[in-house]
Amino acid sequence: MIGLVCATAAGRRARDRLAAAWPGAVRVYGTGGEGGTDGADGAGTVREAITRAFAECDRLVCFLATGATVRLIAPLLADKADDPGVVCVDEAQQYAVALLGGHAGGANDLAHAVAEALPGCRPVVTTATDATGVPGLDTLGLPVEGSVAAVSRAMLDGEPVRLVRHHVLPLPALPPNVTEATDNATESNDGDDGEGAAGEYTLLVSDRAVAPGDRTAVLRPPTLAVGVGASRGAPAEEVAALVGQALADAGLSPLSVTELATVEAKAGEEGIVETARRLGVPLRTYPADELAAVPVPHPSDAPLAAVGTPSVAEAAALLACGEGAELVVPKRKSAPEGRAAMATCAVARRRPRGRLAVVGLGPGARDLLTPRARDELRRASVVVGLDQYVDQIRDLLRPGTRVLESGLGAEEERARTAVAEARAGRAVALIGSGDAGVYAMASPALAEASADIDVVGVPGVTAALAAAALLGAPLGHDHVSISLSDLHTPWEVIERRVRAAAESDLVVTFYNPRSRGRDWQLPKALALLAEHRAPHTPAGVVRNASRPGERTTVTTLGELDPAAVDMMTVVTVGNTATRAVAGRMVTPRGYRWQESR
């Protein structure tokens, strides 16, 4: 919950704007003399409001001066890990200042969210890692322990930091002073334990139960799942002790456990439910027939008779970790004194996976690049793309990002390169203009990628949509996009599609309409449309949509000049209902009420 506190009329107006923008996510803390707002907790002084909000909310937005806020929250501060994040907004709503708890409290992200919700407001974030583009170790969404502050400071100061990875983990780009150790023991329990030479800073990625030194930070990858079986009424102490001992004996960290898994019949077993709660992980259940289909080294008749599967613990752990999982702790039983064991457990490790994000950059304008695309660019350690597209977003990349760029005509090579980098365990962004799935890189990349990597698609504003917005509303009814490039598609196929679109009375957008080596395809396509549409049918030509040199022309099918078109151009031809209204193309949506107008 986000607490909102203010003291002035201007603050109340901004507060109410945020409350309207984030329904259900905020609680308004009122102060004396207010008329009140839905969700307000009543009147009181500003100090009382902040005191209550600080105790009751995860984050606070204070519409107060930073000095006043500092004085008010100072007596309330307890611990960095528990204090809420605090953002200050000034009287004129020009700045949203992340004042307290930038990472742990979420204030940095909240400052950006406030700035987006209040017109003209700008976020102010002074956390060193955010300001310099270095990823904060506590912002990666992973448990991290050890000397986090010391290693982060070394990364910022340019001191040598050794990266040791026992497991593949698609990390974002780290600064150049972080160098990967050549003796990494990836996928093994043998080798480098992460402790470097005296005085050496180390960033260790491991699910092992190592104790980090005073210059080592440990990132805990989400690699492990614990399968559990239990008799009815098994005590939570017995189940939890068994799991804890199994992890300890195998030298594994509980922080890398992502879930507890069991059979559906045990979903309500209190000892299992409580153990998951103590570990801080979700409980996942599987039907008995799914578990029975998993090959395991130690099947048993007892669970088969009790719940319908020869294995619960081993099968559940392996199933939770997916294809290629490794059983690192075979089934073991609890060992209570004086009675029979009531619980079993097993531990499996996931196969490491890299990550490939296929990112659409939009038509070119920076404000048409989506926030999700920005986030993926910042998350990547490797960016692959056409050189001219890389130039558009180079300033958004983190320091240390490896850029693999190439020229026109190397699409398949770029796709293969991006997939290979992801298979090596890296976080990769493969970029393309517009939407990466429309005449762009998603198709060759996904044709190359197999199920051994995670693939994320990030949509972008297509050239057709960017051009349509400039032309008016030409895509108001059914429409189709057709590429006129016959480099990969025979012209006979393209011609058949154009003819079908003409006969179907679809609005048509032509991609790749004309180049110096292909100058006859566009006139031919326009002629095919003209067989079914009048010469006065509106048509639009947009060059460099949203880029420098943008040019928009609304003309007609009969007057469209192919010589004015090149590969930087999108051509849109209306259907028989499209009209030119005030110099803009408009295709009616076809509702019956329009027939009487």
Side-chain angles (χ1 to χ4, degrees):
M1 185 64 69
I2 302 172
L4 306 181
V5 181
C6 63
T8 67
R12 287 193 291 274
R13 287 193 293 272
R15 177 203 67 187
D16 292 344
R17 193 174 293 122
L18 284 189
W22 302 336
V26 302
R27 183 174 184 186
V28 172
Y29 288 79
T31 56
E34 295 181 27
T37 302
D38 289 345
D41 72 344
T45 67
V46 175
R47 183 180 297 278
E48 291 169 346
I50 283 189
T51 300
R52 292 191 59 188
F54 202 90
E56 298 171 355
C57 296
D58 302 314
R59 291 172 291 172
L60 274 68
V61 179
C62 300
F63 299 91
L64 304 166
T66 54
T69 305
V70 167
R71 286 192 294 272
L72 289 168
I73 67 173
L76 309 175
L77 300 181
D79 183 82
K80 178 179 179 179
D82 299 322
D83 290 336
V86 178
V87 170
C88 275
V89 179
D90 65 290
E91 184 82 358
Q93 300 161 44
Q94 294 185 79
Y95 304 104
V97 182
L99 185 68
L100 176 72
H103 287 167
N108 291 353
D109 290 339
L110 182 59
H112 285 280
V114 170
E116 289 180 6
L118 299 179
C121 189
R122 297 173 58 187
V124 178
V125 175
T126 58
T127 307
T129 51
D130 294 69
T132 60
V134 174
L137 298 181
D138 55 351
T139 66
L140 301 179
L142 300 172
V144 58
E145 56 184 339
S147 302
V148 179
V151 175
S152 296
R153 188 73 258 171
M155 291 168 59
L156 287 166
D157 290 345
E159 296 189 44
V161 177
R162 192 175 64 128
L163 173 63
V164 177
R165 290 198 287 185
H166 294 164
H167 308 280
V168 167
L169 183 67
L171 295 171
L174 299 173
N177 57 304
V178 180
T179 56
E180 190 148 5
T182 58
D183 55 352
N184 285 358
T186 304
E187 300 313 299
S188 170
N189 281 330
D190 302 317
D192 196 334
D193 64 359
E195 291 300 319
E200 185 176 42
Y201 292 99
T202 301
L203 175 59
L204 174 63
V205 179
S206 180
D207 62 12
R208 301 183 204 165
V210 297
D214 59 1
R215 292 198 170 202
T216 297
V218 185
L219 284 172
R220 296 300 188 184
T223 54
L224 306 176
V226 178
V228 176
S231 302
R232 181 178 299 176
E237 289 71 18
E238 182 174 342
V239 179
L242 171 63
V243 172
Q245 194 62 51
L247 292 169
D249 290 348
L252 299 172
S253 170
L255 292 178
S256 283
V257 175
T258 61
E259 57 196 302
L260 216 62
T262 191
V263 66
E264 280 184 350
K266 298 296 180 179
E269 190 66 49
E270 182 57 32
I272 296 177
V273 173
E274 174 61 17
T275 299
R277 189 194 67 78
R278 293 183 186 182
L279 280 172
V281 298
L283 176 62
R284 188 173 183 181
T285 62
Y286 294 97
D289 57 346
E290 288 188 27
L291 295 175
V294 179
V296 296
H298 305 102
S300 172
D301 291 336
L304 180 61
V307 294
T309 173
S311 172
V312 174
E314 290 181 338
L318 289 168
L319 204 56
C321 286
E323 184 179 354
E326 172 194 7
L327 192 66
V328 291
V329 178
K331 181 179 72 174
R332 57 187 291 173
K333 296 180 179 180
S334 55
E337 292 186 8
R339 60 174 173 82
M342 297 184 72
T344 60
C345 82
V347 183
R349 178 182 283 136
R350 290 177 176 80
R351 173 186 288 179
R353 298 171 68 85
R355 189 174 190 276
L356 173 62
V358 187
V359 181
L361 301 180
R366 180 56 61 84
D367 59 352
L368 293 180
L369 177 70
T370 67
R372 188 177 300 180
R374 288 173 180 260
D375 290 344
E376 288 295 342
L377 293 173
R378 302 282 285 176
R379 181 171 180 165
S381 62
V382 180
V383 171
V384 182
L386 181 67
D387 47 14
Q388 64 190 60
Y389 298 150
V390 170
D391 288 341
Q392 292 178 18
I393 49 83
R394 200 182 297 271
D395 62 301
L396 298 178
L397 305 181
R398 291 189 186 276
T401 302
R402 189 155 57 96
V403 177
L404 304 176
E405 54 189 310
S406 51
L408 287 168
E411 288 79 10
E412 293 182 0
E413 176 190 341
R414 285 196 291 275
R416 285 193 295 269
T417 297
V419 170
E421 290 288 333
R423 284 183 177 143
R426 300 182 179 93
V428 183
L430 176 62
I431 62 173
S433 68
D435 183 282
V438 179
Y439 302 120
M441 292 305 302
S443 180
L446 298 191
E448 186 75 21
S450 52
D452 57 347
I453 61 174
D454 294 322
V455 178
V456 177
V458 182
V461 178
T462 70
L465 295 180
L470 295 169
L471 293 170
L475 307 183
H477 211 296
D478 296 339
H479 53 275
V480 64
S481 296
I482 299 176
S483 171
L484 295 184
S485 173
D486 56 1
L487 295 178
H488 301 288
T489 305
W491 174 254
E492 293 76 13
V493 175
I494 297 172
E495 182 173 335
R496 186 167 67 247
R497 292 171 179 171
V498 175
R499 193 179 299 277
E503 293 173 350
S504 303
D505 198 29
L506 295 170
V507 177
V508 181
T509 297
F510 289 124
Y511 279 74
N512 306 313
R514 184 174 181 271
S515 67
R516 279 178 287 186
R518 295 185 299 100
D519 58 2
W520 59 268
Q521 288 89 342
L522 178 59
K524 176 62 175 177
L526 296 176
L528 292 172
L529 293 179
E531 294 177 7
H532 299 271
R533 300 178 195 186
H536 62 264
T537 301
V541 178
V542 179
R543 188 176 192 278
N544 286 326
S546 88
R547 300 177 185 177
E550 174 185 281
R551 186 174 68 244
T552 303
T553 304
V554 175
T555 181
T556 65
L557 176 58
E559 295 179 353
L560 195 156
D561 180 12
V565 174
D566 60 14
M567 284 291 286
M568 307 302 293
T569 305
V570 172
V571 176
T572 300
V573 180
N575 64 13
T576 55
T578 304
R579 299 289 182 266
V581 180
R584 293 181 286 269
M585 290 179 67
V586 179
T587 301
R589 296 183 65 182
Y591 295 141
R592 289 191 178 91
W593 61 264
Q594 291 182 316
E595 297 174 0
S596 62
R597 290 176 65 92

